[in-house]
Amino acid sequence: MNNHFAIAVAGGVGAAALTHIITRVVKSAPSLVRENHRGETVSLSEGVGVATSLIGSAVARQDFAAAAAIAATGNAGLADDLDDVRDDHIEAKGLRGHFEALRSGNVTTGTVKMVSIGSAAAGYALIHGKKYDRGMYDWVIDSIIIAGSANVINLFDLRPGRALKVAAACSMLASAGRVSPRSLGATVGTIVGAAPTDFAGKTMLGDVGANTLGMQVGMLAATPTSKLFRTAMALATLSVIAAGEVTSFSKVIDESELLSKLDQLGVKTR
């Protein structure tokens, strides 16, 4: 147990350092500069750091299926991030917006991203399920957890620190079941490494970071052997996504004194 804890700590420290370094190195890339909700300039370099760290951590623990799934998700997210600055960019909000665009004959990068994430999640769940001798039902709920988590974290990447807090909380919830200490350490370490500039409002995850971090959290949640636990996680994930289609989480948080305080906890405004 002590060896597992030491490995988790070492992996977490490494992930934190790598995330922070990469964020700093590519911070000034023009294609990654955006305006936040206050009209302030922020960089999506944090997302590149997060994705690179998670892929590197997966390779280090020889979980090549996870590395491939995260890489596919990161590439799709990066394409969506870069498409946002194009003059002919098709604006589509939420799952409903992308489906409506598709019905009109427009294939958005968001639609491509959803297909990529869904395929990556399903592929990983299939490989992961064989390890635990899981059946068709398990494959379905595991795929929902992994792909859905990628979407959920993205829904909260609207204010400094918010998505990272949600990811951290979900990771701790997932750790209530049986999870890999090295995978948990890499997840927490990546969040810690991304936190300084995110909480300061200088960088944000963007699609590439939010989707890959969310997928990593989903992989943690799909690890526990309890079918009841994973079914509950799948239903909770779908419920959050459905709620995001009909309401604004920012509005809900702002109208709640407790949630608003938690949302501002540790955030440094410029």
Side-chain angles (χ1 to χ4, degrees):
M1 180 62 71
N2 289 335
N3 287 338
H4 288 162
F5 179 75
I7 291 173
V9 171
V13 170
L18 183 59
T19 303
H20 191 66
I21 290 171
I22 293 176
T23 299
R24 290 287 188 179
V25 170
V26 299
K27 185 178 177 182
S28 59
S31 60
L32 297 178
V33 174
R34 298 290 187 279
E35 284 190 359
N36 64 10
H37 66 291
R38 292 181 175 175
E40 300 167 336
T41 300
V42 298
S43 172
L44 303 184
S45 58
E46 176 189 338
V48 178
V50 165
T52 304
S53 175
L54 292 176
I55 294 170
S57 298
V59 171
R61 61 179 184 272
Q62 297 186 332
D63 190 348
F64 300 114
I70 293 170
T73 298
N75 286 332
L78 184 59
D80 206 21
D81 278 332
L82 296 178
D83 186 59
D84 287 342
V85 299
R86 290 174 49 187
D87 293 334
D88 59 347
H89 169 69
I90 300 173
E91 188 69 27
K93 295 293 185 180
L95 297 177
R96 184 186 305 171
H98 291 297
F99 283 126
E100 288 179 351
L102 188 60
R103 286 176 58 188
S104 302
N106 296 312
V107 180
T108 66
T109 51
T111 302
V112 174
K113 183 183 71 172
M114 286 190 293
V115 173
S116 298
I117 292 174
S119 300
Y124 177 82
L126 183 63
I127 296 172
H128 177 74
K130 289 182 178 180
K131 179 180 178 181
Y132 294 98
D133 195 26
R134 292 177 178 174
M136 179 64 70
Y137 176 79
D138 299 283
W139 174 69
V140 172
I141 60 174
D142 289 349
S143 298
I144 290 173
I145 291 171
I146 298 168
S149 296
N151 190 17
V152 166
I153 299 304
N154 201 18
L155 289 175
F156 286 95
D157 188 35
L158 298 174
R159 299 290 186 275
R162 182 181 294 174
L164 295 183
K165 290 173 185 175
V166 172
C170 291
S171 297
M172 294 302 102
L173 177 61
S175 68
R178 189 176 75 179
V179 299
S180 163
R182 295 177 68 183
S183 183
L184 179 61
T187 308
V188 175
T190 299
I191 293 171
V192 171
T197 54
D198 192 306
F199 276 67
K202 297 179 180 179
T203 65
M204 62 183 293
L205 289 166
D207 286 324
V208 60
N211 289 146
T212 53
L213 180 57
M215 176 164 280
Q216 173 69 20
V217 172
M219 290 175 178
L220 283 178
T223 301
T225 55
S226 169
K227 187 172 296 188
L228 179 61
F229 176 89
R230 288 181 290 112
T231 298
M233 291 296 291
L235 291 174
T237 300
L238 290 175
S239 297
V240 173
I241 293 173
E245 291 294 308
V246 297
T247 189
S248 166
F249 289 136
S250 291
K251 183 178 180 180
V252 173
I253 292 172
D254 291 341
E255 291 178 349
S256 168
E257 183 177 354
L258 175 60
L259 293 178
S260 183
K261 286 183 178 180
L262 291 174
D263 193 43
Q264 291 298 317
L265 186 65
V267 173
K268 302 175 182 178
T269 56
R270 283 188 272 177

